[in-house]
Amino acid sequence: LSVPPELPKEDGRPKWDNKFQYILSCVGFAVGLGNVWRFPYLCQTHGGGAFLIPYFIALLFEGIPLLHLELALGQCLRKGSIGAWNTISPYLGGVGAGSWMVSVLVSLYYNTVLSWVMWYFINSFQEPLPWSVCPLNENRTGLNKECYESTAVNYFWYRKTLNIAPDITESGTLQWWLILCLAACWAIVYLCTIRGIETTGKAIYVTAIFPYLVLTIFLIQGLTLPGATEGLAYLFTPNLNTLKNPRVWLDAATQIFFSLSLAFGGLIALSSYNPPKNNCEKDAVTVAIVNSVTSLYASIPVFSILGFKATTAYWDCLDRNIIRIINEFDLPEESIMRQNYTAWFSFLNSSYPEKIAGLKLKSCDLQEFLDQSVSGTGLAFIIFTQAIILMPGSQAWAILFFIMLFSLGLSSMFGIIEGVFTPLLELRVISKSIPKELLSGIICLISFLIALCFTLGSGSYWIDIFDSYAGSLPVLVIALFEVTGVAYVYKIKRFSKDVKWMTGRKPNLYWQITWRFVSPLLLLIVLVAFVTLQIQKPPSYTAWNPKYEGFPMKEEKVYPPWVLAICVLLAVLPCVFVPLVALFHLIKRMCRSKDPSFVLPEVFSCQGANS
Amino acid sequence: YTWDANEEYLFKAMVAFAMRRYSNKSTTQISNVLLCDVTDRVSFWFVVTDSSKNVTTVPGSEVEAAIRMNRNRINSAFLLSDKTLQFLKITSTLSPPVESSTPVWLIVFGVVLCLIVAGIVFLIVTGIQQHKKKNKESTEREKLEEKGEVTVTVENGIPCETLDLKAGHINGVFAADDERFTSL
């Protein structure tokens, strides 16, 4: 009698405490490890400042429209990915199942990467840092051979952390220290996602904001280091010639895509806890812009520190040459400094060329040191750790750096786990008897047990496989189906009406054009280009093999056929849900079409779902 | 500091000191140590003579052993280290790295794990308590609703059930008067 008509029906669905928590969760999900260790690398290899052009074009025509689509979908339908796509159309139910599968696969290996970060973090409390010195060999006559031939940092990463096998087929044993760290990581994930967004909403305040603080501290420190300006100049000097290479455009499109964590189902899950009347258009633009700005902001300290490392290596090279020249020619100390090294060298080379040649001096080139850039785990665990040793107060810097990486990864894990958790909560009505805490505990336990195989000796090779095959191709396919499904099966007109009901404004021409034509087309081109590039060369990997004659260079190896089969399986498994479910419903309809009384429910809208 | 004759004197003194300590003889004098070929780079050759045996030089291996034994004293006399004060053909022994009995990382890991487990237990316990409270509340609310009807009816003075026509009498006077009302 007394219920006012505007009050939405209480469906017992958990909701965000406030809007800021929701935005922070989306931003935390989007901003992850890739913003720190993939974007700066791409920027630097693809022509510096010039890379920003394809990056922003991809953001404008692919990133933001898809983001808006997913957020609006979740908010309107108030269900996780599987339920949402089932509601849009039963034939598209496979899209939801596919994105759920992708979230499951990604969560397995992503947390293992976090366990590596945790391992480095708990090792940062020692003085001196364990990756700065080589251990002695058995009879204490010299340094450990593997460490001596490569560097202490490489040795700590490949031997002490991963205990890496020389080949992917040799599984090796389970590394007990990695198991401990993995257990701790999954325990932390369980602690934060134990009651769904009630607990992640509180945790996200810390894990999403803390990285920005640490980045700022590193920014200030990095800019004061010598050589920072060289690193930054190297990063941002635009080289417009690289834009002619289609590879650059492809990398920009894929980077925007994976950076925003689209098509994982996580964004749909996060926005499904929103009140229906929420301006999702503004949210989408905000999240996308914050993500890109964070990438740019993170690349500044990363490259200042890389510039510092290159400059220090260059100075070391020069110093070694200077000592050898001084020893050879018995010149007084400090007669040759770094500044007049080239002048002295040319003078001595012209006067005593045989002596100089006999010294076998290594040529020192700053550009060469700057060119040694890596992306991914190599950047964080090898290059950055080496740079940290050179900074004064290395323990503090190491601790800060690894906590930052951990919170970045953890906030992304929240989004991924929500993408797994929310559909499960809705899918099984039996789950009413299972409390949320138990369900999330079961998910975390099963994932931990499966992820144990990444702690084997060959684990990091498998993680590379999962990253390249399960986290890349299926996501593109699912996103393509998402956009075409909403644009052509659900129809943009209906969708625009729903968005207008939610935000109060009809989506303008930009959204209409991108949703209908530009984004699907762009995604199709990116997908085709991606597949062709993958097929062109046989997939190979580089292995760390101490017995290799070119050691410490990594050995190029080809995947054996059974591993290739697994790669294909990983890439195809999430995608195959889409046609399978559609086929299943088609067959069901054909069986039912013999029964004329059955009417397929067609009319549906946002308001209909809620009132 | 600049290298001058005084520093050379100190060096000779240190070498003589090393020889004395090594061979336990007190016969080596500063004048037994001879420097030659001093260059600007501050590098030189030196020999130790043995004054007791016809001005012959002490064999190089003995000198090497003596210096190796007292290396740190020589280094600290000049405020230098093994890297900055080099004796050719005398390599420094490597000091073993400091190994603590329990690896430090295990301790940190233990602390982190305890915090996490405490957090999980806390959240689970509060979850169970909330669940119980919700259950208790919902059963109490049901009971309260039943009791509420009873109390309301008693408070009003007139129990509702008695107004039920089954228990009462129909007053025929009023009932029959219905037809007397004029219709409007």
Side-chain angles (χ1 to χ4, degrees):
Chain A
L1 294 165
S2 54
V3 174
E6 305 95 47
L7 201 71
K9 194 168 85 164
E10 287 293 325
D11 50 3
R13 198 176 175 76
K15 46 189 208 298
W16 300 105
D17 290 343
N18 50 51
K19 178 84 183 276
F20 185 58
Q21 220 179 51
Y22 162 64
I23 296 281
L24 217 54
S25 294
C26 289
V27 165
F29 183 33
V31 171
L33 296 169
N35 293 65
V36 168
W37 70 36
R38 184 141 171 85
F39 177 79
Y41 166 74
L42 284 177
C43 219
Q44 178 236 317
T45 46
H46 289 318
F51 180 70
L52 294 175
I53 300 177
Y55 183 75
F56 278 113
I57 292 180
L59 180 69
L60 211 56
F61 292 116
E62 192 193 324
I64 298 186
L66 270 160
L67 189 60
H68 187 198
L69 192 93
E70 288 211 5
L71 291 182
L73 215 61
Q75 197 175 291
C76 169
L77 301 172
R78 297 173 63 78
K79 292 212 181 100
S81 58
I82 300 184
W85 288 102
N86 266 325
T87 323
I88 293 252
S89 157
Y91 297 104
L92 285 176
V95 177
S99 51
W100 182 85
M101 189 83 230
V102 167
S103 285
V104 168
L105 290 173
V106 171
S107 69
L108 290 176
Y109 77 81
Y110 205 81
N111 219 13
T112 317
V113 175
L114 281 185
S115 71
W116 297 339
V117 175
M118 166 164 278
W119 165 254
Y120 266 80
F121 166 68
I122 59 183
N123 269 301
S124 307
F125 287 89
Q126 297 178 31
E127 160 73 49
L129 290 171
W131 55 82
S132 59
V133 287
C134 269
L136 301 176
N137 54 19
E138 285 90 34
N139 41 10
R140 300 262 182 101
T141 52
L143 300 171
N144 180 303
K145 181 160 172 287
E146 189 182 344
C147 186
Y148 181 68
E149 283 172 14
S150 58
T151 59
V153 183
N154 274 333
Y155 176 75
F156 187 74
W157 169 237
Y158 287 111
R159 190 56 49 210
K160 279 295 166 63
T161 308
L162 297 176
N163 201 5
I164 205 166
D167 194 273
I168 195 172
T169 49
E170 296 174 32
S171 303
T173 51
L174 291 169
Q175 319 303 334
W176 61 271
W177 57 92
L178 284 183
I179 297 181
L180 286 181
C181 292
L182 190 67
C185 285
W186 276 110
I188 292 181
V189 168
Y190 178 51
L191 173 69
C192 296
T193 58
I194 193 168
R195 281 194 221 127
I197 63 164
E198 289 166 42
T199 39
T200 60
K202 313 283 186 310
I204 202 80
Y205 285 118
V206 174
T207 58
I209 297 185
F210 184 70
Y212 288 97
L213 286 173
V214 178
L215 275 176
T216 313
I217 297 176
F218 266 100
L219 180 80
I220 300 173
Q221 162 73 357
L223 288 176
T224 59
L225 293 169
T229 35
E230 274 92 14
L232 284 176
Y234 187 66
L235 168 71
F236 283 121
T237 332
N239 177 13
L240 290 163
N241 285 327
T242 53
L243 293 182
K244 296 191 197 123
N245 182 4
R247 191 75 213 251
V248 175
W249 294 87
L250 179 67
D251 274 341
T254 46
Q255 169 62 14
I256 254 299
F257 203 79
F258 302 136
S259 181
L260 285 171
S261 311
L262 298 165
F264 276 69
L267 288 165
I268 297 182
L270 290 176
S271 60
S272 69
Y273 296 112
N274 264 340
K277 296 245 187 201
N278 178 42
N279 192 349
C280 50
E281 181 181 347
K282 207 162 63 146
D283 296 341
V285 175
T286 312
V287 171
I289 291 183
V290 170
N291 180 49
S292 297
V293 166
T294 309
S295 292
L296 281 168
Y297 188 62
S299 52
I300 299 180
V302 167
F303 263 85
S304 335
I305 291 180
L306 287 182
F308 162 69
K309 175 181 174 296
T311 308
T312 321
Y314 173 64
W315 284 351
D316 277 342
C317 180
L318 277 183
D319 286 343
R320 261 181 277 132
N321 286 356
I322 290 176
I323 290 277
R324 304 220 346 231
I325 292 182
I326 287 185
N327 277 344
E328 179 72 19
F329 290 95
D330 270 336
L331 299 163
E333 198 77 39
E334 301 200 358
S335 55
I336 307 184
M337 299 299 288
R338 292 176 193 143
Q339 294 91 310
N340 49 19
Y341 169 76
T342 33
W344 267 101
F345 182 72
S346 45
F347 165 67
L348 287 171
N349 207 9
S350 48
S351 341
Y352 311 95
E354 343 64 49
K355 267 194 176 181
I356 294 283
L359 280 178
K360 289 203 189 49
L361 296 172
K362 190 162 170 271
S363 73
C364 301
D365 181 19
L366 183 60
Q367 273 303 108
E368 196 189 307
F369 287 111
L370 282 171
D371 273 333
Q372 291 167 0
S373 66
V374 196
S375 83
T377 51
L379 178 73
F381 298 119
I382 299 182
I383 298 195
F384 226 76
T385 44
Q386 199 159 17
I388 287 180
I389 305 174
L390 302 165
M391 294 198 256
S394 355
Q395 273 85 11
W397 296 115
I399 292 173
L400 270 180
F401 178 63
F402 290 114
I403 291 194
M404 175 190 82
L405 282 188
F406 194 76
S407 356
L408 278 174
L410 196 63
S411 50
S412 300
M413 270 305 282
F414 292 161
I416 300 176
I417 292 284
E418 276 306 315
V420 173
F421 193 46
T422 308
L424 281 181
L425 270 182
E426 295 150 7
L427 201 57
R428 311 209 200 128
V429 192
I430 325 164
S431 75
K432 290 241 169 58
S433 58
I434 308 179
K436 262 195 276 196
E437 288 91 342
L438 192 61
L439 183 65
S440 51
I442 293 176
I443 293 178
C444 288
L445 187 67
I446 295 181
S447 308
F448 166 66
L449 291 173
I450 299 181
L452 278 180
C453 54
F454 290 126
T455 56
L456 291 168
S458 52
S460 78
Y461 300 132
W462 284 106
I463 288 189
D464 282 334
I465 289 183
F466 267 68
D467 196 25
S468 326
Y469 292 98
S472 59
L473 185 69
V475 175
L476 288 171
V477 169
I478 288 172
L480 183 63
F481 276 108
E482 274 187 13
V483 162
T484 40
V486 170
Y488 297 109
V489 175
Y490 186 67
K491 302 285 193 303
I492 286 288
K493 243 195 205 131
R494 246 199 300 175
F495 192 65
S496 304
K497 252 201 303 191
D498 293 333
V499 175
K500 180 166 179 212
W501 183 78
M502 289 195 291
T503 63
R505 275 202 318 279
K506 187 166 153 54
N508 57 29
L509 197 63
Y510 161 69
W511 301 111
Q512 306 283 341
I513 294 183
T514 46
W515 281 337
R516 260 186 244 256
F517 310 114
V518 180
S519 293
L521 192 64
L522 207 58
L523 270 173
L524 190 64
I525 295 176
V526 168
L527 185 64
V528 168
F530 191 81
V531 173
T532 24
L533 266 159
Q534 288 286 97
I535 293 182
Q536 263 175 9
K537 48 180 172 54
S540 64
Y541 67 107
T542 48
W544 179 263
N545 186 4
K547 300 203 181 54
Y548 178 51
E549 60 261 0
F551 189 75
M553 300 300 290
K554 293 174 90 169
E555 189 182 351
E556 278 264 347
K557 288 193 179 172
V558 183
Y559 287 126
W562 64 275
V563 173
L564 276 178
I566 295 185
C567 298
V568 170
L569 184 72
L570 280 175
V572 159
L573 186 66
C575 312
V576 89
F577 277 108
V578 179
L580 273 185
V581 172
L583 208 65
F584 171 70
H585 279 284
L586 200 67
I587 294 178
K588 216 162 71 164
R589 185 187 183 172
M590 288 206 296
C591 295
R592 284 231 190 112
S593 66
K594 297 173 191 153
D595 175 12
S597 61
F598 180 78
V599 173
L600 199 68
E602 269 281 337
V603 179
F604 159 84
S605 71
C606 255
Q607 300 95 304
N610 283 321
S611 56
Chain B
Y1 52 82
T2 47
W3 187 264
D4 55 8
N6 299 328
E7 306 288 343
E8 283 183 21
Y9 192 80
L10 179 59
F11 184 79
K12 291 187 202 175
M14 290 308 293
V15 172
F17 165 74
M19 291 304 298
R20 283 195 186 200
R21 280 193 83 197
Y22 176 69
S23 50
N24 280 328
K25 298 188 292 213
S26 326
T27 52
T28 324
Q29 304 291 327
I30 292 183
S31 48
N32 287 115
V33 184
L34 304 167
L35 304 177
C36 41
D37 259 355
V38 185
T39 61
D40 276 341
R41 195 223 170 309
V42 196
S43 67
F44 44 81
W45 294 93
F46 67 94
V47 289
V48 181
T49 56
D50 198 346
S51 42
S52 58
K53 291 190 188 144
N54 304 350
V55 199
T56 50
T57 52
V58 177
S61 49
E62 270 189 47
V63 180
E64 276 176 34
I67 293 189
R68 195 182 266 133
M69 201 174 84
N70 298 292
R71 188 66 187 273
N72 59 333
R73 299 293 295 273
I74 302 177
N75 282 350
S76 47
F78 291 97
L79 305 170
L80 294 172
S81 66
D82 276 359
K83 277 213 177 97
T84 36
L85 176 62
Q86 270 181 324
F87 290 88
L88 293 176
K89 292 194 229 156
I90 302 182
T91 51
S92 43
T93 52
L94 298 162
S95 57
V98 175
E99 290 258 349
S100 55
S101 50
T102 42
V104 176
W105 69 266
L106 263 180
I107 301 176
V108 180
F109 178 75
V111 169
V112 169
L113 203 60
C114 284
L115 286 173
I116 301 170
V117 169
I120 292 179
V121 166
F122 170 72
L123 280 177
I124 291 185
V125 165
T126 47
I128 295 179
Q129 277 180 356
Q130 259 180 24
H131 203 64
K132 278 205 199 126
K133 210 165 51 163
K134 231 191 317 180
N135 275 347
K136 214 166 41 155
E137 265 180 24
S138 60
T139 47
E140 268 188 24
R141 216 185 308 134
E142 286 171 21
K143 281 199 215 134
L144 210 65
E145 281 172 1
E146 293 173 20
K147 267 207 317 210
E149 280 171 41
V150 175
T151 44
V152 161
T153 49
V154 168
E155 276 174 19
N156 271 344
I158 307 170
C160 290
E161 297 98 68
T162 58
L163 290 177
D164 190 10
L165 291 174
K166 285 192 242 132
H169 293 283
I170 299 177
N171 194 337
V173 177
F174 285 107
D177 265 348
D178 276 352
E179 299 131 24
R180 277 214 291 143
F181 290 127
T182 48
S183 51
L184 292 162

